[in-house]
Amino acid sequence: MTRRSEVLRVGFTDVDAATDALARLGADGEPLLGHFDRTADPDLALAGLVRLADAVEDRADFLGHLAEDPDAATRLLAVLGASTALSDHLVTHPQHWRDLTDPTLATTRVPAFAMRASLLDAVGADPGDEAPVATVPDAEAVDALRVDYRRQLMLLAARDLAHDVRVDDVAAELADLAAGTLEAALALARQHVGEDARTVSLAVIGMGKCGGHELNYLSDVDVVFVHEPVGETDEQDAARIAAKLASHLIRTCSTPTREGSIWEVDAALRPEGKAGPLSRTLASHERYYERWAEPWEFQAMLKARPVAGDRDLGTRFVAMVDPLVWSVAERDGFVDAARAMRRRVVDHIPARSVARELKLGEGGLRDVEFAVQLLQLVHGRADERIRQPTTLSALHELTQHGYIGRKDGEALHEAYAFLRRLEHRIQLHRMRRTHLVPEDPRVLRLLGRSLGFAAQPAEEVERAWEHHRREVTRLHQKIFYRPLLNAVARIAGDEVRLSSDAAADRLKALGYGDPTAALRNLDALTAGVSRTATIQRALLPAMLQWFAEGANPDAGLFGFRRISETLGRTPWYLKTLRDEGQVAERLATLLATSRYCTDLLEREPAGVRLLGGDLQPQRGEDVVGEMLATGRRQDDPGEAVRAVRAVRRRELLRIAAGDVLGLTEVAEVERGLSSLTDATLEATLTVVEEAVRREKGIDRAPTRFAIIAMGRYGGFELSYGSDADVMFVHDPEEGAEPEEAASFAQAVANELRRTLGAPGSDPPLEVDADLRPEGRQGPLVRTLDSYAGYYAKWSEVWEAQALLRADAVVGDDGLRQRFIAMIDPLRYPEGGLSEKDITEIRRIKARVDNERMPRGVDPKMHLKLGRGGLADIEWTVQLLQLRHGAAVADLRTPRTLAALDAAREHGLLTEEDAGTLLTAWRMASRLRNAVTLARGKAADHVPRDSTERRAVAQIMGFSALETDAMINDYLKATRRARRVVEHLFWG
């Protein structure tokens, strides 16, 4: 075999460079060639070996020893081939290669006390002292600590890479090494503080992975500091000294020197976070955790243990928080806090990184840890056996004691162990704190070989990673939710079976407010051995998770039961949910978030089919065509109108579902609702006119008829809870008797309002004509001439203001155009408004503000009448239209935002003021819609009920936990809008 072929066989990729490097080593390097095939990157290992051979004192002795000690050679080359950072360390401190010749490294874990003693020795502290103090000069000691830390890390990496140490053992040794480092850093802090250090006792509590004995090669080390005064020391002095010790410890570990840095020490998990004191007494901690701590803070305490400093004080701290940790699942808001903690982590993933995120992404390490911790906190209250701080140990106990199925536990253990090993190898390469799987094929090859993939290491490690991600995602749902089904269904096999009490505890922890009712609903859905029950049992684990992510999981599950009872035997229903995951997820989101959508789905269960398609509002002309075609197939006019209303119900569901799911903007929603109302009135008017003609026995209508949209309807700005404000106008045909024409028009208007407003299986459309001249005292329908006469003689300025939003939308086209031409001079008066008229408008607005605000409602929370709310903005825009509409043609529009934009374009208000009003108007409109969607009925104020507020927040695009952020954003927008209104409207 030639030298080149032998080099290729071992795994070198750059044959020429490898051949040259081997030549540089000479004959002493020949015996080492066979060891390279076990390294992660032979090229990297050889380059490191050449650098190290050049750095050692006796090159021949170095290479000769490696040739005679194959175990030492394997360990050294494994380190050099996997980690450029440790290779650099060895070149800087070449004497450390001899530590790798220790034969016990192959079989023996380095004890924690030995690590601690070595690190303390490095800074000149006595490991036998209760409170060791460094004696080596400060700067020199800081470097010495880094050197010894990196030396011990190298030894652990060598064992990990060369001797296949289990990942949980590696993580535990890393945690012990971190604890020893913190102890040595504290010894340096005592030296720095001097004699005052003796007046306070300080304990360092390890949190997170350090506390749980499962640290990575490079992680932040999370800690909490607790202190007590010694002797007669004043508490304030003790707090000051403890803070000095803690801050110096943090700097010692975190600050880079010529020997690099160790890792960041993060004390942000302390009470009050970064805003709180760095250290507290035990009593102060106890007061905080008993009175003020959020549930997530106790979840963070799940892994707390003393790691440095006063062990007795640290033990007492853990004993103090332990009962609080294991009762946290009983607290209100536990689930919300746990989700918030998970969501905060997810939200910090940059969008460009999410696909390669090993720790925080979907199916990543955090999903396993979160699942295990939640199961522990729910069931660990009554079962101390599962209170293990280490993830893999806790997973083992949860499996052993029946909280996770045996096969599922083994699969999750395998997945988590692989993900942790991959994470370790990624961090080892350059000793960087990262959780991103690299895309560079060369680095992927290195990672794959270090994990034992030989044939196609880069491709194999990617495939293995993807497989384990899928397994984690699948098992997360199965472990959490399937046992809930087994608690109510008689299912054979070795699946986990929870007692009713345990199932209720788990449901409560997942956010279900009435676990007993939830279990009854699950029983109803899964009972029996029918095909329907079988499919439901397959669907429900995922559905339960989606319900739990909504604002009201109980309502979601109950709504699903109601719909399933209606459609369960319909062939397409369960098949659609099973085979089209998007439909099932959308359905679960709607049911757990929107009472409005749930009501529509219960009235129209077949609407589930809509959820797999386009949820954008349909074109008005298409909807009118379908309504007319459907209505004309009915012989009875009442049935025809019901058919029209059924189409409207379906389209309301389409619009509302798109809104709740975040697929439709508020302007599209308002246009869709307004266009749908146009279509409904157009189709119903056609049906009703034909019915009235048949009833009266006439072939041709004696009058032309039109419907004038008013208010938000006229402005094409309808919300879900809006009535259709209209005026009815007719114009007798030539030769028709006025009385006959008036009777016909009156009958048409009455019948249209009755049929659309009648109770039924679909939402009624209230057609409100109270904005007509003389209000309810005036005739329901007038001729065009009657309107013209009234406005010419009796009209007041407020009626001109109301007509600003008039839009002739339905009925005879010629009549509609003539009506608009008749009212334009009135609503856009030549020369604008007089000062008297402006004063009158302001007087009316002040009266509306004072008299129409409902009692008991916080004015700031009223979306319509509140300060800076919809009415403020709309009256301001309308005043501009009345004053300038005759001169500025672009202002002649019934739509608020179009008028606002025109006023900005023509300099009637500044860019900033226009933007302020636009922002507030859109947010108030969105909130108004969201309130109706969440509650199932219209309201003009933000709900007080916490569940409804969470639903509103989710619909608005916030998380269910961000209700305060939503309210703050709204109040900020309306405060700014009110300042603009005070300037523009009130002068």
Side-chain angles (χ1 to χ4, degrees), residues 9 56 96 141 272 282 420 427 448 484 489 537 574 586 603-604 626 697 720 756 966:
R9 179 190 62 78
V56 297
H96 287 172
E272 300 180 84
L282 186 62
R420 285 302 303 274
Q427 292 184 348
L484 296 169
R537 285 194 289 270
L574 289 175
R586 284 179 169 183
R603 291 170 171 175
E604 175 79 5
E626 182 182 0
Y720 295 103
L756 287 177
M966 174 188 72

Side-chain angles (χ1 to χ4, degrees), residues 627-650:
M627 286 176 167
L628 286 173
T630 305
R632 284 168 177 160
R633 287 197 291 269
Q634 312 299 322
D635 295 329
D636 179 68
E639 290 299 321
V641 175
R642 278 190 283 277
V644 169
R645 288 177 58 171
V647 175
R648 175 175 178 265
R649 177 182 63 208
R650 186 200 68 208

Side-chain angles (χ1 to χ4, degrees), residues 198 213 217 244 246 278 300 323 326 382 391 419 437 512 549 635 659 700 724 731 766 774 826 847 868 870 932:
R198 299 178 180 275
H213 256 110
Y217 275 99
K244 279 187 177 181
L278 195 54
W326 296 111
T391 301
L419 295 174
V437 179
Y512 289 81
E549 291 168 356
D635 295 329
D659 197 353
R700 185 169 176 233
D731 187 28
E766 298 294 338
E774 302 175 271
L826 184 69
R847 183 177 174 186
L870 291 168
T932 305

Side-chain angles (χ1 to χ4, degrees), residues 182 186 202-206 223-226 249 305-310 314:
L182 290 168
L186 182 55
L202 182 73
V204 184
I205 310 299
V223 299
V224 167
F225 297 102
V226 57
L249 178 152
R305 71 180 175 101
V307 292
D310 188 328

Side-chain angles (χ1 to χ4, degrees), residues 332-334 336 339 511-513 549-554 592-593 927 930-931 934-935 941-955 958-967:
D332 290 339
F334 164 70
D336 288 348
R339 287 183 188 151
Y512 289 81
E549 291 168 356
N552 193 341
D554 300 81
T593 308
L927 262 172
V931 169
R935 301 179 73 239
H941 56 83
V942 179
R944 294 192 183 95
D945 179 79
S946 59
T947 300
E948 290 179 351
R949 275 202 178 187
R950 286 199 301 270
V952 170
Q954 282 192 310
I955 295 166
F958 295 83
S959 81
L961 307 175
E962 294 177 321
T963 56
D964 288 346
M966 174 188 72
I967 296 298

Side-chain angles (χ1 to χ4, degrees), residues 630-739:
T630 305
R632 284 168 177 160
R633 287 197 291 269
Q634 312 299 322
D635 295 329
D636 179 68
E639 290 299 321
V641 175
R642 278 190 283 277
V644 169
R645 288 177 58 171
V647 175
R648 175 175 178 265
R649 177 182 63 208
R650 186 200 68 208
E651 292 307 310
L652 281 174
L653 174 61
R654 186 194 305 275
I655 295 169
D659 197 353
V660 172
L661 296 169
L663 305 174
T664 315
E665 294 293 330
V666 63
E668 295 171 317
V669 169
E670 291 173 341
R671 283 195 296 270
L673 291 170
S674 302
S675 180
L676 179 58
T677 301
D678 289 351
T680 304
L681 290 174
E682 187 76 60
T684 305
L685 179 61
T686 301
V687 170
V688 167
E689 281 187 326
E690 291 176 359
V692 173
R693 283 205 320 272
R694 286 199 299 269
E695 183 183 330
K696 292 184 176 292
I698 56 178
D699 294 331
R700 185 169 176 233
T703 188
R704 290 179 288 275
F705 191 92
I707 301 174
I708 313 301
M710 302 289 289
R712 290 183 72 85
Y713 177 32
F716 226 57
E717 297 158 354
L718 278 180
S719 61
Y720 295 103
S722 300
D723 294 341
D725 290 317
V726 302
M727 294 194 299
F728 297 112
V729 59
H730 77 105
D731 187 28
E733 296 283 1
E734 187 175 345
E737 291 293 329
E739 294 80 3

Side-chain angles (χ1 to χ4, degrees), residues 762-897:
D762 39 54
L765 175 60
E766 298 294 338
V767 181
D768 188 340
D770 288 353
L771 288 177
R772 64 187 184 267
E774 302 175 271
R776 294 181 180 179
Q777 307 305 315
L780 180 63
V781 188
R782 289 176 182 262
T783 64
L784 184 63
D785 290 341
S786 176
Y787 275 106
Y790 173 85
Y791 288 133
K793 189 173 183 181
W794 304 108
S795 169
E796 297 184 22
V797 67
W798 70 265
E799 290 179 291
Q801 183 182 354
L803 288 171
L804 285 170
R805 304 181 85 178
D807 191 14
V809 292
V810 171
D812 183 85
D813 185 59
L815 178 57
R816 287 155 53 189
Q817 293 181 31
R818 284 186 287 140
F819 184 90
I820 294 300
M822 180 265 295
I823 65 170
D824 271 354
L826 184 69
R827 57 183 177 172
Y828 309 122
E830 197 67 39
L833 291 179
S834 67
E835 285 301 318
K836 178 182 176 182
D837 287 339
I838 294 173
T839 300
E840 176 63 9
I841 289 174
R842 289 172 174 163
R843 185 192 68 79
I844 296 170
K845 177 69 166 68
R847 183 177 174 186
V848 168
D849 290 348
N850 290 330
E851 295 180 3
R852 293 193 183 177
M853 181 69 69
R855 290 183 180 178
V857 172
D858 182 352
K860 296 193 296 293
M861 293 291 102
H862 201 282
L863 303 167
K864 182 177 180 181
L865 301 176
R867 294 168 65 83
L870 291 168
D872 266 1
I873 297 165
E874 289 165 3
W875 282 64
T876 300
V877 172
Q878 289 161 17
L879 183 59
L880 290 172
Q881 289 180 286
L882 288 166
R883 296 178 70 176
H884 304 286
V888 180
D890 290 342
L891 282 174
R892 299 171 204 164
T893 171
R895 305 186 183 192
T896 301
L897 296 189

Side-chain angles (χ1 to χ4, degrees), residues 120-126 129 132-138 140-141 187-188 191:
L120 286 169
D121 284 339
V123 299
D126 184 352
D129 285 352
V133 181
T135 58
V136 174
D138 192 47
E140 182 183 336
L188 279 167
Q191 179 192 40

